[in-house]
Amino acid sequence: MTKFLLALHVLAAIVAVGPVTVAASMFPPAVRRAHEEATGVGTVRLLHRICRAYAAIGIAVPVLGVATGAAMGVLGDAWLTASMALTAAAAGVLAAFVLPRQGELLDELTGQGSVERRGTVQLAMFTGVFNLLWATVTVLMIVRPGSTTGA
């Protein structure tokens, strides 16, 4: 059962977090391009929809992670506690900064057609923080410092 849960957890991370990471990273330049060329709003809208949808699906990642950790008996391990804290931080950055700012930029782009570069740069920074948090979680999941469960 542990291997099955671990496989589901890894698949959920790939399928849910991967698209959010890529689409969120593509969003700021897509907004700048759409603003400069006065086209491409559909692309920006699609990237925002991908981020929202896969963020919702991404809830499965920590749920399956906790189930896997419980099955492996490692819920109290420091590497897993740190991973859970960083996952919560990444979710917080996504929910509080990335998705709302994407929505604001999309509204600006479709409403008045004017978008300040500062807004896209700020969004790129928040997206970078989100991506860095997930990269750190991924490394912790692989390296598992101090783990006694193997590899």
Side-chain angles (χ1 to χ4, degrees), residues 122-142:
Q122 185 182 51
L123 175 59
M125 178 196 64
F126 290 134
T127 301
V129 170
F130 170 77
N131 292 344
L132 182 61
L133 288 167
W134 272 115
T136 305
V137 169
T138 301
V139 169
L140 283 172
M141 290 288 121
I142 295 167

Side-chain angles (χ1 to χ4, degrees), residues 95-143:
F97 299 106
V98 175
L99 294 176
R101 189 65 189 134
Q102 282 182 350
E104 291 168 11
L105 287 170
L106 185 57
D107 289 345
E108 288 175 22
L109 190 61
T110 56
Q112 63 204 32
S114 175
V115 175
E116 290 185 30
R117 182 170 175 82
R118 188 184 122 196
T120 61
V121 169
Q122 185 182 51
L123 175 59
M125 178 196 64
F126 290 134
T127 301
V129 170
F130 170 77
N131 292 344
L132 182 61
L133 288 167
W134 272 115
T136 305
V137 169
T138 301
V139 169
L140 283 172
M141 290 288 121
I142 295 167
V143 175

Side-chain angles (χ1 to χ4, degrees), residues 44-132:
V44 174
R45 208 176 264 121
L46 175 64
L47 290 171
H48 183 53
R49 195 173 334 129
I50 289 169
C51 288
R52 282 187 325 212
Y54 282 92
I57 295 167
I59 299 297
V61 176
V63 170
L64 288 166
V66 169
T68 303
M72 293 173 68
V74 295
L75 280 181
D77 287 9
W79 65 270
L80 189 57
T81 303
S83 294
M84 289 190 292
L86 292 171
T87 297
V93 168
L94 184 65
F97 299 106
V98 175
L99 294 176
R101 189 65 189 134
Q102 282 182 350
E104 291 168 11
L105 287 170
L106 185 57
D107 289 345
E108 288 175 22
L109 190 61
T110 56
Q112 63 204 32
S114 175
V115 175
E116 290 185 30
R117 182 170 175 82
R118 188 184 122 196
T120 61
V121 169
Q122 185 182 51
L123 175 59
M125 178 196 64
F126 290 134
T127 301
V129 170
F130 170 77
N131 292 344
L132 182 61

